[in-house]
Amino acid sequence: MDMKPEQLELIKNQFKTLKDRSPFYARKFKGIDLSDVQTQEDFEKLPFSEKADLREAYPLGLQAVPDEEVVRIHSSSGTTGTPVIIPYTQQDVIDWATIFARCYETAGITNKDRIQITPGYGLWTAGIGFQLGCERLGAMAIPMGPGNTEKQLKMMQDLHTTVITGTSSYALLLAEEISKRGLRDKLDLRKGVIGSERWGDKMRNRIANEMGIEIFDIYGLTEIYGPGIGISCNEHHGMHIWEDYVYCEIVDPKTGEPLPDGEVGELVLTTLRKQGAPLIRYRTHDLTRIIPGDCKCAYGCHHPRIDILTGRTDDMVKVKGCNMFPAQIEEVIQFTDGASSEYQVMIEAVNGHDVLTVLFETPLEGEELERCEAQLAAIFKAKIGCTPEAKGVPMGELPRSEKKTKRIFDSRY
């Protein structure tokens, strides 16, 4: 993707003082004269910033402003090691609210809507980001946070919620309860803004149908504001990334070389206005592509689009010599007649051999179930290259989560 002249100017302006303000980048770019960066090609020669670098900067090594300008911090969950702490200035918070409100507007949400916020609040960026954007838009925020499904459904009815926000896992849990209780026609829901984990079309369609909503995918990560740096529009063909706040690159995950628009690779992001903790060429590990051409959406959105994420560079699993990503498994589920959206993959080592089992929910029984299991195993073999043991289980048997659902369990190591 070509860097816009305005983006290059914002980057060059940042670079005038970056090493003075940020001890992190003073070290990272030691021996590099940032005033030499005058073109996109110059920029692409700079080293990447990695999650490991950010962890090493714990707790506040990323801070690029004086203490008195920091108004809050947020943190990644730290489930896989030392957490990453991101400081925010007042302007960062305002910018985040601005781009999040833009996300709501792109989804056709207005100040007359009532937005029920189910992601968690606290150190995590999710709930508070959804709320910031909601208040900036002028809509009514219903700040529920996760869990307490009984109360969620009561508030949804009593307050006439029109927009539901959350992870796809929790949205599915709510959708199933709404269906079970026959509540769909008693609700005023019209849209869902869903993010934080990748999910397949079967799950998306189930949630949309059982809740009676139009679904929009929202994108973001704690290191770059949080959720709200991009969202799908009414064309539902990729997510627009706000190019006046973030610059996107797609690179080959192995070589780091830039890839042309349309090719799948790793998403690399650079903040253009972030004060508290600017990030330059940050490797997200998310796999996607830049969708070539202009979008036909009603908002005439000129911001570039990335495709729905196909996975992460670090969530690939190798079994029986085959590389597989969750996105490929979801595709198998999608093409299997009778398979519902929920699945789990179990990988074990038995007598030195990999054993791969795919559990999937289905309403089928008896011979129909056996046919469905055989079909899933055959499609899996054709698309991914190895044959699993496919086991259908009754609907609702696999666990649901209020946060992100773990679907692949590898006990080999």
Side-chain angles (χ1 to χ4, degrees):
M1 191 173 85
D2 290 336
M3 186 184 280
K4 300 275 173 65
E6 301 86 349
Q7 293 178 314
L8 182 58
E9 278 310 306
L10 285 166
I11 286 167
K12 283 159 67 175
N13 280 337
Q14 272 200 83
F15 281 3
K16 286 174 187 171
T17 58
L18 181 65
K19 286 165 87 169
D20 298 330
R21 293 180 288 119
S22 168
F24 174 78
Y25 278 111
R27 282 192 306 277
K28 186 86 184 160
F29 295 152
K30 191 176 180 183
I32 298 171
D33 187 345
L34 291 178
S35 65
D36 289 343
V37 177
Q38 295 295 319
T39 65
Q40 179 174 343
E41 290 70 31
D42 296 337
F43 179 77
E44 287 169 354
K45 290 173 189 161
L46 293 173
F48 295 111
S49 303
E50 303 269 3
K51 184 85 170 236
D53 300 334
L54 274 53
R55 287 201 176 113
E56 283 172 19
Y58 179 87
L60 289 171
L62 292 174
Q63 187 173 315
V65 294
D67 280 357
E68 59 269 27
E69 290 182 32
V70 175
V71 298
R72 72 157 75 137
I73 60 105
H74 281 292
S75 171
S76 64
S77 55
T79 48
T80 52
T82 307
V84 172
I85 290 185
I86 304 291
Y88 292 66
T89 66
Q90 188 61 59
Q91 189 59 49
D92 291 338
V93 173
I94 290 167
D95 288 348
W96 188 16
T98 302
I99 57 178
F100 213 123
R102 191 189 288 173
C103 286
Y104 284 136
E105 286 166 342
T106 304
I109 296 164
T110 74
N111 59 3
K112 292 181 179 170
D113 278 295
R114 299 180 177 190
I115 301 175
Q116 192 153 325
I117 300 166
T118 72
Y121 286 74
L123 282 173
W124 198 32
T125 49
I128 204 161
F130 280 92
Q131 177 142 344
L132 273 174
C134 177
E135 291 173 354
R136 182 77 175 196
L137 181 67
M140 182 198 287
I142 305 170
M144 297 295 296
N148 201 340
T149 301
E150 201 69 45
K151 194 166 190 180
Q152 298 272 8
L153 295 175
K154 179 170 170 53
M155 297 297 257
M156 213 178 277
Q157 292 172 82
D158 296 350
L159 289 172
H160 303 282
T161 299
T162 58
V163 178
I164 187 74
T165 68
T167 63
S168 55
S169 299
Y170 193 51
L172 177 64
L173 194 152
L174 286 171
E176 288 177 332
E177 280 302 313
I178 286 165
S179 179
K180 204 185 294 178
R181 301 177 192 208
L183 293 176
R184 183 181 148 164
D185 295 337
K186 297 176 184 167
L187 299 174
D188 295 283
L189 289 177
R190 64 188 195 94
K191 293 182 190 275
V193 179
I194 310 294
S196 103
E197 57 186 336
R198 66 145 290 103
W199 49 322
D201 284 340
K202 267 200 174 164
M203 187 176 186
R204 183 189 312 274
N205 294 337
R206 256 185 94 189
I207 294 167
N209 293 335
E210 291 183 10
M211 283 188 163
I213 57 175
E214 183 182 8
I215 287 175
F216 295 84
D217 286 88
I218 196 160
Y219 180 68
L221 54 163
T222 299
E223 299 90 323
I224 316 272
Y225 293 107
I229 64 170
I231 195 169
S232 56
C233 62
N234 59 349
E235 285 291 306
H236 299 289
H237 182 41
M239 297 179 283
H240 290 281
I241 299 289
W242 309 129
E243 67 177 12
D244 46 345
Y245 288 86
V246 179
Y247 173 63
C248 300
E249 301 171 79
I250 301 289
V251 303
D252 183 305
K254 290 192 175 77
T255 66
E257 289 300 309
L259 293 174
D261 291 0
E263 277 195 39
V264 173
E266 181 178 348
L267 180 64
V268 173
L269 298 175
T270 294
T271 61
L272 300 177
R273 301 174 187 271
K274 200 95 183 288
Q275 296 177 341
L279 284 179
I280 311 299
R281 303 201 79 205
Y282 179 65
R283 296 187 74 149
T284 66
H285 292 290
D286 288 329
L287 291 169
T288 184
R289 67 187 181 107
I290 288 169
I291 299 173
D294 294 327
C295 184
K296 301 188 183 90
C297 67
Y299 305 96
C301 202
H302 63 276
H303 296 271
R305 289 167 296 158
I306 60 169
D307 213 342
I308 301 301
L309 306 183
T310 55
R312 290 178 56 79
T313 58
D314 50 4
D315 68 7
M316 185 187 80
V317 180
K318 193 165 188 171
V319 185
K320 301 181 181 179
C322 299
N323 297 335
M324 66 180 78
F325 287 96
Q328 294 171 296
I329 300 164
E330 279 155 18
E331 202 178 349
V332 170
I333 298 286
Q334 187 182 336
F335 284 105
T336 304
D337 297 329
S340 186
S341 63
E342 294 307 286
Y343 70 91
Q344 276 187 359
V345 176
M346 319 296 270
I347 308 162
E348 303 163 283
V350 179
N351 300 326
H353 296 284
D354 290 346
V355 176
L356 174 66
T357 306
V358 179
L359 304 173
F360 64 98
E361 289 188 353
T362 175
L364 304 178
E365 295 176 347
E367 285 182 16
E368 282 186 324
L369 172 59
E370 286 173 23
R371 267 198 302 273
C372 182
E373 290 171 337
Q375 186 193 20
L376 189 143
I379 295 171
F380 201 102
K381 169 72 173 162
K383 286 194 171 290
I384 297 175
C386 54
T387 306
E389 184 179 347
K391 284 187 181 174
V393 299
M395 299 292 289
E397 181 146 316
L398 296 177
R400 305 293 191 259
S401 171
E402 292 163 7
K403 293 186 179 175
K404 298 183 189 182
T405 298
K406 186 171 168 63
R407 299 186 189 279
I408 298 179
F409 296 86
D410 190 345
S411 62
R412 291 175 296 176
Y413 307 110

